[in-house]
Amino acid sequence: MSMKIPLVPENLKPLPRLKENEGMLSWVASVDHKQIGIMYLISTLVFFIIGGLEALVIRIQLAQPEFDFISPEVYNQMFTMHGTTMIFFVVMPFLIGLGVYLVPLMIGARDMAFPRLNALSFWLVIFGGILLYYSFLTQSGPSEVGWFAYAPLSEKPFSLNKGPTYWALGLLATGISSVASGLNNIVTILTMRAKGMTMRRLPLFVWMILVTSFLLVFVIPIIASAFAMMLLDRLLEATFFTPAHGGSAILWQHFFWGFGHPEVYILVLPAFGIISEVIPVFSRKPIFGYSFVAGSTVAIGLLSLGVWAHHMFAVGLGNVANLYFSLASMLIAIPTGVKVLNWVATMWGGKIWFATPMLFATAFIIEFVIAGLTGVAVASVPIDWVVTDSYFVVAHFHYALFGGSLFAIFAGIYYWFPKMTGRMMSETLGKWHFWLTVIGFNMTFFIQHFLGVMGMPRRTYTYHDFPYWGSMNLISTIGAIILALSVIVFAWNIRRSLKHGEKAPDNPWNAWTLEWYTTSPPAVHNFDLVPPVRGRRPLWDLAHPDQLDEPNSKVV
Amino acid sequence: MEKLGGIFNPSSPEMEAMADLTYYVIAISIGILAIIVVAVAYIIIRYRKGSKDSSEPYQNFGDLRLEIVWTLIPVAIIAVLFQLTCSTMKTIDPPIGNEEPDIVVIGHQWWWEFYYPKSGVLTANEMHIPVGKKLLLRIESIDVIHDFWVPELGPKIDAIPGHTNHLWMGASEPGVYLGACAEFCGTQHANMRIRVIAETEEEFNEWQKQELVVPRTPRSGIAGKGAELFQTKACMNCHTIKGTPAAARIGPDLTHLNKRQTIGAGVLTNSPENLTKWLYNPQKYKQGSLMPNMKLSDSEVEAIVAYLEGLK
């Protein structure tokens, strides 16, 4: 195979850059998936700072036993808004937004299948966020019943304030948005792939977005109908969830967790996708066991639909139900473990370049394994009875959603920032950001495992001075302050790099998926020509015509 | 070194079984984590790219046998864990059958009511139990969802309106075990604390006898004035004092308040001084509590304190 095949035409037409269409209107009125994607990312960064400040207020109040920094009402509002913001307005729209930006580029398409629906999805998230935060302006402030809003506490007799109503309306708006973007992704991925891009050659990030999109379409309607019932209860005197009038308090929990547990995978599967792109590129090797990484995602997606009641072991559903949900939940460890081992095996034998994206991806593996192990522990009913509703669970899910999703999100931002903006981010600031995050994160949350098994309940604005509780909480609070510093460094890095960052080449990491084939930032129409897709790594094949991925990659 | 609580001090057979399982699973988890950490550390040292090295490493796409092995190993671990889960649950949660509960626990915003159906005792926030006995608790709620949790004595279980739960509980050693509501239940979720006082059979029986005594209502003096105020100042709309017309169960039964260790479900230790402070303004110590500031005068507070502390 020494004959050189001209894969790419020599002359690329010069194209208009996004820069030339600057101006607010070109953004607000845009139906371009890249602009919408970037708007998603910017707005989630704003919500991330708001949600982070709420977390900081929580940690300051808990720095000392019987501390008097904020009132119990404000504390309860803070943890309600922190959880709601981070889940519905940071991690979820960030990952959806990243998908909106990347999926068409990665599959070699011009745009999403339904560009206007795409814009609607984004603006509904903003609308939902405004509705949610508008509740700060109401007389008694935002909802103070937690992001889980358990009935009957969230019902009118116990929450007369307007907070939970705005909360439900805001989330209903984002729910509609999520279903729309799920459908949009599914149609885009199934129908708009470039020639040669078979499902077995799909980049893993796109695979994970596809599975996530099916989950969105299946489970968001569950919670959306529950929100509708809650609003009927609160506004029109219905009694779906009020036991005093024949409703059921437990029914809300089934609806909520029927959505809520798959939601965890909605928040983490695209993060797995980011990791599955970053680790191979920086290890200079293809992903180890592609089919198993993609297949295990489908397995996780299916299993996640049947495990919701592991959030309800203390509800008293009976031992038969408890044991079923216990076993089903433990099973998720198998496909998740397969993923982790494939990532480690991808790094094994590589020539690893520890740039900032790879630092976050490597730390992700360790932090996420901790979350996975505590996750298997809490799937065992008796252990759950020890630790549920305690700080152990707070530690567990922050390892999943911060150590997992957010670490991957940071890896993704450092990885794709050059593509989106045409500028490199600062590696020095990136390393500062990384180390402050790792230290701050583990300092804040690791110790909470111990607080939990020692008996500290969650969602309490104050606590007695039991032996070591004060000092352990203080350590956690200092960790949170370090995390706040890390966010300042991160925000500064973005701001600085946008203006003064080194100009990014089209493919700064020497990566292999199609988005790196086009210019940085990409032209409005993405590609002049999409190179032939003859394997999972089109750009590797272009660079190594004598060492094509297929048929070698066909094995796994 | 001060004694650590919770899982580090299991004080009932149920809690010991749960703590053992937890330790066991934590040990396995630390082992697995160690393998991953060592592997990643080795990779970081061994497979770091040299600064001048621009060649690509061997392109390895995977290995079917490895995939099968690391799918089957977790299957085996989970099989063991599930078996342990089932056997532990047998110990801590045997079937109830037709047994009558020893204690009925009723969650209220933000205090606990304990009713002993076999003797008729009704008390609040402090649950006396005879040591070394396996007791059956029936858990209910009057308003929102609460959760009964005494970390050293056993599992936690929700108190749900319209749904009855049961819990086996006991204490191996005499002592005071502290617990709290574990399900978020509103403004004062943090101050919905539980004290379990485990005592010998004789002490427990003596306590029950004392609790069943209907005290004589004072007719004269400052306590007499307090008794009168209790009936006229709206106290009786929410509270019970046996032997008087006050029989409401919205707030805790105060008949034997002077025997309790704390007031306000654990916010203040019980003393005439603290009761005085509490009566001046409960909202100062338990903001959001359903007991409003009654705006009592100095002499009224003094009289009610004398009445409540003097009930025998």
Side-chain angles (χ1 to χ4, degrees):
Chain A
M1 281 284 289
S2 59
M3 192 182 74
K4 215 162 174 204
I5 306 162
L7 292 171
V8 189
E10 287 298 314
N11 295 317
L12 294 172
K13 275 190 299 194
L15 288 164
R17 297 270 175 138
L18 276 180
K19 264 207 143 92
E20 293 168 16
N21 318 330
E22 250 175 354
M24 279 302 275
L25 189 66
S26 79
W27 287 88
V28 175
S30 175
V31 292
D32 173 62
H33 75 100
K34 297 180 291 300
Q35 282 181 300
I36 292 170
I38 287 171
M39 288 194 288
Y40 262 111
L41 305 191
I42 292 171
S43 40
T44 57
L45 286 179
V46 172
F47 279 119
F48 177 58
I49 289 167
I50 297 171
L53 288 174
E54 286 156 356
L56 207 56
V57 172
I58 291 171
R59 277 315 325 166
I60 292 172
Q61 167 66 18
L62 294 177
Q64 285 296 297
E66 323 277 357
F67 201 40
D68 210 8
F69 176 60
I70 46 171
S71 71
E73 285 91 352
V74 172
Y75 181 87
N76 296 341
Q77 290 168 349
M78 286 297 128
F79 79 72
T80 301
M81 294 300 275
H82 167 72
T84 307
T85 304
M86 288 302 192
I87 289 169
F88 292 100
F89 296 96
V90 178
V91 178
M92 218 172 150
F94 183 94
L95 295 169
I96 289 176
L98 191 66
V100 161
Y101 188 95
L102 288 172
V103 165
L105 286 167
M106 283 182 146
I107 64 173
R110 164 68 186 84
D111 205 311
M112 298 287 284
F114 308 113
R116 282 179 187 79
L117 189 65
N118 195 18
L120 177 71
S121 295
F122 168 71
W123 290 107
L124 275 174
V125 173
I126 299 300
F127 179 55
I130 290 171
L131 270 178
L132 177 72
Y133 272 87
Y134 183 78
S135 60
F136 268 103
L137 303 178
T138 61
Q139 202 177 10
S140 44
S143 171
E144 41 186 287
V145 296
W147 89 282
F148 46 93
Y150 274 6
L153 182 62
S154 57
E155 296 277 312
K156 224 176 171 179
F158 303 104
S159 296
L160 286 166
N161 57 340
K162 298 240 175 2
T165 308
Y166 280 104
W167 178 87
L169 282 169
L171 294 190
L172 201 51
T174 63
I176 296 166
S177 148
S178 301
V179 174
S181 47
L183 288 170
N184 208 343
N185 274 320
I186 293 170
V187 177
T188 305
I189 296 167
L190 292 184
T191 66
M192 297 179 65
R193 301 190 307 278
K195 201 165 178 314
M197 175 82 70
T198 61
M199 292 304 277
R200 284 182 60 88
R201 290 171 178 169
L202 209 56
L204 283 168
F205 178 77
V206 182
W207 254 113
M208 312 263 174
I209 289 284
L210 180 65
V211 176
T212 304
S213 300
F214 275 107
L215 283 180
L216 286 171
V217 173
F218 289 151
V219 305
I220 298 288
I222 303 174
I223 193 68
S225 17
F227 287 145
M229 285 183 242
M230 176 182 166
L231 287 167
L232 288 174
D233 278 7
R234 289 184 62 85
L235 300 171
L236 297 172
E237 314 290 335
T239 59
F240 288 106
F241 305 122
T242 45
H245 303 95
S248 165
I250 300 176
L251 182 64
W252 167 266
Q253 296 193 25
H254 281 296
F255 287 145
F256 186 81
W257 292 117
F259 143 83
H261 200 77
E263 169 72 8
V264 175
Y265 295 94
I266 290 168
L267 298 172
V268 90
L269 287 180
F272 290 169
I274 296 172
I275 297 300
S276 305
E277 296 299 329
V278 168
I279 285 183
V281 166
F282 288 87
S283 305
R284 309 306 308 153
K285 278 178 65 200
I287 188 85
F288 194 92
Y290 171 96
S291 316
F292 286 85
V293 178
S296 61
T297 309
V298 179
I300 291 173
L302 289 173
L303 283 171
S304 78
L305 296 170
V307 299
W308 74 90
H310 70 216
H311 294 268
M312 299 165 66
F313 285 155
V315 164
L317 299 176
N319 282 348
V320 176
N322 282 350
L323 283 174
Y324 159 73
F325 282 105
S326 176
L327 182 62
S329 310
M330 288 177 191
L331 289 180
I332 294 193
I334 299 166
T336 314
V338 165
K339 276 200 165 57
V340 170
L341 292 166
N342 276 307
W343 292 323
V344 174
T346 304
M347 292 166 73
W348 194 277
K351 290 187 176 174
I352 306 172
W353 175 16
F354 283 104
T356 311
M358 188 59 182
L359 288 176
F360 273 107
T362 311
F364 163 94
I365 294 181
I366 307 291
E367 313 291 10
F368 191 74
V369 165
I370 295 175
L373 291 168
T374 52
V376 175
V378 296
S380 171
V381 181
I383 301 178
D384 183 84
W385 282 341
V386 177
V387 298
T388 186
D389 288 321
S390 82
Y391 263 83
F392 186 92
V393 173
V394 177
H396 158 69
F397 71 74
H398 278 96
Y399 268 83
L401 294 182
F402 197 134
S405 302
L406 265 179
F407 271 53
I409 282 174
F410 289 137
I413 291 175
Y414 282 92
Y415 182 59
W416 281 297
F417 186 90
K419 177 55 59 186
M420 294 177 182
T421 65
R423 304 253 183 197
M424 303 299 289
M425 285 182 82
S426 156
E427 273 292 304
T428 317
L429 288 174
K431 291 206 161 75
W432 273 98
H433 173 215
F434 170 74
W435 286 110
L436 285 172
T437 307
V438 167
I439 294 166
F441 167 73
N442 286 293
M443 196 168 162
T444 308
F445 294 107
F446 196 78
I447 207 156
Q448 293 180 359
H449 292 114
F450 295 97
L451 278 167
V453 293
M454 284 162 64
M456 181 163 169
R458 292 171 71 177
R459 301 160 182 149
T460 53
Y461 75 95
T462 190
Y463 54 92
H464 268 322
D465 191 11
F466 292 116
Y468 305 103
W469 283 28
S471 43
M472 288 165 95
N473 272 294
L474 184 62
I475 291 171
S476 184
T477 299
I478 295 169
I481 292 167
I482 297 176
L483 270 181
L485 289 178
S486 83
V487 174
I488 293 172
V489 174
F490 173 60
W492 172 244
N493 195 356
I494 289 189
R495 207 193 111 81
R496 192 207 134 278
S497 304
L498 273 176
K499 281 199 164 162
H500 311 293
E502 197 188 318
K503 284 254 192 274
D506 292 351
N507 190 359
W509 315 114
N510 203 359
W512 304 304
T513 36
L514 285 180
E515 77 273 25
W516 301 104
Y517 181 74
T518 183
T519 50
S520 299
V524 176
H525 58 282
N526 291 352
F527 302 95
D528 284 327
L529 273 170
V530 178
V533 180
R534 301 191 294 180
R536 287 173 199 152
R537 300 189 295 171
L539 303 199
W540 169 277
D541 288 344
L542 273 185
H544 301 87
D546 50 340
Q547 200 193 337
L548 298 179
D549 269 1
E550 290 186 13
N552 295 336
S553 64
K554 284 257 160 111
V555 189
V556 275
Chain B
M1 188 166 140
E2 286 174 283
K3 208 160 76 175
L4 297 173
I7 199 175
F8 300 111
N9 183 29
S11 306
S12 72
E14 290 81 15
M15 193 57 210
E16 270 166 37
M18 288 158 69
D20 285 348
L21 178 67
T22 309
Y23 290 143
Y24 189 79
V25 172
I26 288 175
I28 297 177
S29 302
I30 291 175
I32 297 172
L33 179 64
I35 294 170
I36 302 283
V37 168
V38 168
V40 170
Y42 176 79
I43 287 169
I44 290 172
I45 296 162
R46 172 73 180 72
Y47 297 116
R48 185 182 283 274
K49 189 194 193 96
S51 54
K52 292 193 184 69
D53 187 357
S54 62
S55 67
E56 302 281 18
Y58 171 65
Q59 302 293 298
N60 184 354
F61 291 88
D63 184 334
L64 196 58
R65 281 161 306 166
L66 264 180
E67 302 286 348
I68 291 168
V69 169
W70 64 45
T71 307
L72 290 181
I73 292 173
V75 172
I77 296 174
I78 283 166
V80 173
L81 177 59
F82 187 64
Q83 201 278 323
L84 286 171
T85 298
C86 294
S87 62
T88 309
M89 277 175 75
K90 246 186 192 161
T91 318
I92 55 180
D93 197 23
I96 299 154
N98 292 324
E99 209 160 323
E100 287 297 308
D102 297 289
I103 306 171
V104 179
V105 176
I106 305 159
H108 294 251
Q109 276 185 325
W110 295 285
W111 61 282
W112 295 95
E113 188 171 29
F114 301 121
Y115 174 61
Y116 295 67
K118 288 172 185 167
S119 63
V121 168
L122 184 69
T123 185
N125 300 325
E126 296 172 18
M127 186 168 104
H128 288 246
I129 58 168
V131 84
K133 270 201 169 169
K134 193 171 185 138
L135 303 167
L136 183 63
L137 274 53
R138 193 169 83 204
I139 316 285
E140 298 173 358
S141 168
I142 204 86
D143 39 44
V144 301
I145 299 178
H146 304 278
D147 187 290
F148 182 83
W149 185 29
V150 185
E152 278 139 48
L153 297 184
K156 57 174 77 72
I157 187 115
D158 287 352
I160 302 172
H163 174 94
T164 305
N165 276 326
H166 287 88
L167 179 72
W168 292 103
M169 205 182 79
S172 311
E173 299 290 328
V176 177
Y177 300 95
L178 300 179
C181 176
E183 184 59 84
F184 181 68
C185 57
T187 313
Q188 277 296 342
H189 166 57
N191 284 314
M192 184 167 166
R193 291 175 177 145
I194 304 162
R195 291 173 97 80
V196 174
I197 295 141
E199 50 202 3
T200 60
E201 188 90 40
E202 300 81 65
E203 287 170 324
F204 173 72
N205 288 336
E206 181 56 27
W207 172 79
Q208 277 201 326
K209 227 169 82 190
Q210 288 287 321
E211 286 290 307
L212 290 170
V213 170
V214 177
R216 203 173 46 80
T217 305
R219 300 272 172 232
S220 59
I222 187 160
K225 191 185 159 216
E228 204 183 304
L229 284 167
F230 197 91
Q231 308 300 331
T232 53
K233 275 283 176 185
C235 309
M236 67 177 294
N237 291 351
C238 295
H239 294 284
T240 294
I241 289 183
K242 291 198 195 83
T244 76
R249 280 171 70 183
I250 293 168
D253 183 314
L254 300 177
T255 313
H256 296 282
L257 177 70
N258 55 6
K259 300 261 173 38
R260 294 199 202 126
Q261 299 173 356
T262 65
I263 39 184
V267 286
L268 292 170
T269 46
N270 191 6
S271 67
E273 297 75 49
N274 279 342
L275 189 57
T276 307
K277 287 199 260 178
W278 173 264
L279 284 175
Y280 271 119
N281 186 7
Q283 296 296 321
K284 186 176 169 195
Y285 302 96
K286 195 166 178 175
Q287 192 187 329
S289 157
L290 300 188
M291 175 160 171
N293 180 353
M294 303 302 291
K295 307 227 159 50
L296 300 169
S297 70
D298 292 0
S299 64
E300 286 169 338
V301 169
E302 197 188 344
I304 295 172
V305 170
Y307 169 53
L308 291 175
E309 293 289 336
L311 284 171
K312 288 273 156 48

